[in-house]
Amino acid sequence: MRDLRPDGPLVYERLSDPILVRRAKDGDKLALAALCDRHSPRVHRIAQHVLRDPEDACDAAQESLVKLVQRVGQFRGQSQFSTWLHRLVVNTCKDVAQERFARRTEVLLEDTRVARDADPVRELAAAETRRELGRCLAELPPAQAQVVGLKDAFDVPFEEISSATGMPVGTAKCYAHRGRNGLRERLSA
């Protein structure tokens, strides 16, 4: 691995988000590319979680990355970059969902798609587990459910959860603990 030295090449992968954002705002295309590469997996995970449809999620993720390129100059730095990007992705997913709702679809006579893992029983069991988890999550107090969702589904750091929700970090950690315990109790009942 190369290290960052004043006289050596600049290794964009090692730069922090704030530095990459500043450089991208100043027109550094390599910094912008590094931001996109770094956050692309997370953008795809968020889109998949919000939309549930792989094709729509892929479209929303790509559209979100295009918006990132177009709008990075609008990032004011009042929150973490990942928080700003998360909101951008969720809003893009809402737009895609509205477009999908507005589209007219033709009913297929026969669904010839192949299951991704070729095990429909396993897919059905996983879908039932997701439904049950969603039902149990909805039974939790809203603040606990929000923290558990952000932390466990999206791997958002407690500091970002705190800044996004306005609750202290310790409270967010406590809600995550209580929410997880509540889910365990409900799922084992």
Side-chain angles (χ1 to χ4, degrees):
M1 288 187 123
R2 298 175 290 180
D3 53 316
L4 282 172
R5 296 178 311 199
D7 59 336
L10 185 60
V11 181
Y12 285 88
E13 295 80 19
R14 289 190 176 181
L15 298 177
S16 67
D17 282 352
I19 292 172
L20 288 173
V21 168
R22 190 186 78 239
R23 292 182 68 92
K25 282 180 165 186
D26 291 341
D28 186 339
K29 291 181 181 183
L30 293 176
L32 187 56
L35 271 175
C36 288
D37 288 344
R38 178 178 295 167
H39 292 282
S40 179
R42 184 174 184 196
V43 166
H44 281 85
R45 278 194 315 271
I46 294 168
Q48 180 65 40
H49 179 76
V50 172
L51 293 172
R52 304 278 184 215
D53 179 82
E55 291 176 14
D56 286 342
C58 186
D59 290 346
Q62 287 187 350
E63 191 173 328
S64 296
L65 291 171
V66 168
K67 286 181 180 179
L68 164 62
V69 170
Q70 294 170 340
R71 299 180 183 174
V72 72
Q74 296 173 4
F75 176 65
R76 294 183 302 226
Q78 294 174 334
S79 64
Q80 294 286 329
F81 176 75
S82 57
T83 305
W84 176 82
L85 181 59
H86 180 86
R87 177 60 24 215
L88 181 108
V89 175
V90 169
N91 287 338
T92 302
C93 288
K94 287 179 183 178
D95 294 343
V96 167
Q98 286 175 346
E99 289 173 15
R100 177 181 59 192
F101 182 73
R103 281 189 305 231
R104 294 195 178 258
T105 58
E106 184 178 317
V107 178
L108 295 176
L109 298 176
E110 181 181 355
D111 187 357
T112 59
R113 293 178 293 173
V114 177
R116 282 183 278 167
D117 66 357
D119 186 359
V121 174
R122 184 173 167 204
E123 285 294 316
L124 178 62
E128 289 175 4
T129 301
R130 283 192 298 274
R131 254 191 310 280
E132 180 68 12
L133 182 60
R135 185 190 60 74
C136 292
L137 197 57
E139 293 175 0
L140 292 177
Q144 289 179 12
Q146 180 183 27
V147 171
V148 168
L150 288 171
K151 184 64 184 159
D152 295 339
F154 298 117
D155 198 26
V156 176
F158 283 114
E159 293 75 18
E160 288 184 40
I161 293 172
S162 173
S163 69
T165 62
M167 68 178 68
V169 173
T171 302
K173 289 180 179 180
C174 180
Y175 282 2
H177 177 74
R178 287 181 185 170
R180 290 173 185 143
N181 285 341
L183 283 175
R184 274 189 212 101
E185 290 171 7
R186 285 170 174 78
L187 289 170
S188 66

